[in-house]
Amino acid sequence: MASTPTEKKPHVLDEPSRDLETANDDVSVGRGDILSQEHIDPVLNAKMHLVNNAIDEIGFTGYQWKLFVLNGFGYAVDSLILLIQSIIAGKAALEFHPGWANGLTVAAYVGMLAGASFWGITADIIGRKFAFNVSLMICSIFAIVAGSSPNWIVLGLFVCLSSFGGGGNLVLDTAVFLEYLPSNKQWMLTLMACWWGIGQLIAGFFAWAFLPNFSCEDPSVNPDAPPCVYANNKGWRYVWFTSGALVFAMSIARITIIRLKETPKFLIGEGRDEEAVETLLFIANKYNRPCSLTLERMAACGEITRRREGSKWSPAEVGIHLKGLFATRRIGWSTSLIWGSWVLIGLAYPLYNVFLPQYLASRGAQFGQKSDYITWRNYALVNFSGIWGPVLAGWMCSRPWLGRKYTMVVGALVTCVFFFAYTQVRSETQNTAFTCIINFCLNIYYGTLYAYTPEVLPSAHRGTGNGLAVSGNRIMGILSAVIATYADTGTAVPIYICAALYVVMAGIAAVFPFEPYGRRSS
């Protein structure tokens, strides 16, 4: 690695069109900015370079630690909401007798699809701050209300609205954290995915605490069970109430603890150089760190090309952000491969994980395990194991011989191996152990992909690109629910499909055109 950010004074770029790859200064790490030669606007390129220098000079502070925790909770909320609807669907169905048992899964994915698209584009148009604060609040309110649903349709509506907030928030968590990270800490973007497993663990614990003790009996298991009504089936409602209350508390903590300022990279893209400099100087002064960036240095780079000619919300403005994701051949190729990866894992992940309770239940029945308590205990163990995949991935992607790309390749291939091995499980202990291992390995790939996506996208279009990538993921989640309606997810067939998909994902990761290791996001 190159010298630390504070060892030498930053170089000032007097010629904004100068090639930054060759004019790289001592403050830069490794080979410089990831997209240094890809920007069409050389002035924007130069200003982003100066902002990266300033962030490196300030270094990692308590501000980034707060973002790691409270942005990370956005990861947790996404997995929490998605897993909770899957966990409680069976118990709620006993009470409401729906016509389509997988309706809640579709509702959740439709909400997340809409949320990722809307909040992702919104973040590029009006800024990260508003979307970051509002989306999680929306999620918490409707999660609480979902526990009071009088019927299946209303429950699906509230699940959809809660997912709209949670799914959109996920897009912002990585973008906001990345745009404040010094380059030698960008690996923490991968580490932050451990919060995804924490969200799953919380969902598992809530299910373990409430469902075995406050749920009606399934008449298909016990023919003498009393009718399932509101009075004897409150467990799934308690799960929603507690989950929503937790998300609400964290959304308030975001506003009161972080007090997020708009990210400097968004401000630079909007031509608001003075605000960007003020934000960086504020952080430097608060944590007693050096920052030699000045407005004069920014002005010396020139004026960026103004992109907006009409309303912020005009179709032309949205089109500008879409075109920006294909500004050059390499950026376009990168965007296409990233979106393809998200589509593939969008099918593989829910086929395995969202419908995992059904598969675990079927395997438990084969092994003579009929206890709800044991089922949800095992589910909590599986989710606990998922926390540590991104921890290992964070270490792997910071190794020069792996980087982000080959961390994904290794994670995908190892997951594939254990998927095939899982079909040979013959005991309850093996069942639990292999499920835990798969969840661990799967999150090595998934966590790295979550981090890689915003790292290689242009800052001015990062929200749109990230949002549409996640949207493709959600579309396949909807498709997986349709597949589950007409296929038996209690068999090993989805496991074989998932294994094959991970082989394809490994191949795509190997040919990604950008490697972020040792370089700085633009």
Side-chain angles (χ1 to χ4, degrees), residues 447-472:
T448 309
L449 181 63
Y450 262 109
Y452 179 88
T453 300
E455 274 192 293
V456 300
L457 291 173
S459 177
H461 318 295
R462 182 168 286 138
T464 301
N466 205 15
L468 293 179
V470 176
S471 296

Side-chain angles (χ1 to χ4, degrees), residues 23 169 175 190 221 224-225 248 310 319 327 347 370:
N169 185 263
T190 299
V221 177
D224 298 324
F248 182 77
L347 180 60
K370 299 181 179 180

Side-chain angles (χ1 to χ4, degrees), residues 376-449:
W376 297 117
R377 182 207 65 183
N378 291 348
Y379 197 50
L381 290 174
V382 169
N383 293 328
F384 177 75
S385 68
I387 297 173
W388 307 105
V391 174
L392 177 59
W395 178 85
M396 291 171 64
C397 73
S398 63
R399 304 301 97 186
W401 38 275
L402 281 174
R404 275 56 157 178
K405 290 169 54 176
Y406 290 101
T407 295
M408 284 187 276
V409 171
V410 171
L413 293 179
V414 172
T415 302
C416 170
V417 170
F418 280 104
F419 267 134
F420 282 121
Y422 186 51
T423 61
Q424 303 304 310
V425 164
R426 294 295 180 267
S427 71
E428 174 64 21
T429 301
Q430 292 175 353
N431 182 47
T432 304
F434 269 84
T435 307
C436 288
I437 293 171
I438 288 173
N439 216 34
F440 173 87
C441 297
L442 183 153
N443 280 343
I444 293 175
Y445 174 86
Y446 213 168
T448 309
L449 181 63

Side-chain angles (χ1 to χ4, degrees), residues 345-386:
I345 199 168
L347 180 60
Y349 186 82
L351 276 179
Y352 174 72
N353 223 357
V354 173
F355 300 110
L356 181 60
Q358 300 174 35
Y359 191 71
L360 281 175
S362 69
R363 301 295 281 188
Q366 293 175 19
F367 302 139
Q369 195 284 102
K370 299 181 179 180
S371 168
D372 275 353
Y373 178 85
I374 297 299
T375 294
W376 297 117
R377 182 207 65 183
N378 291 348
Y379 197 50
L381 290 174
V382 169
N383 293 328
F384 177 75
S385 68

Side-chain angles (χ1 to χ4, degrees), residues 347-348 351-352 359 362-363 419-420 422-423 483-484 486-501:
L347 180 60
L351 276 179
Y352 174 72
Y359 191 71
S362 69
R363 301 295 281 188
F419 267 134
F420 282 121
Y422 186 51
T423 61
I483 293 173
Y486 300 101
D488 184 3
T489 55
T491 72
V493 173
I495 307 297
Y496 287 121
I497 295 175
C498 290
L501 290 175

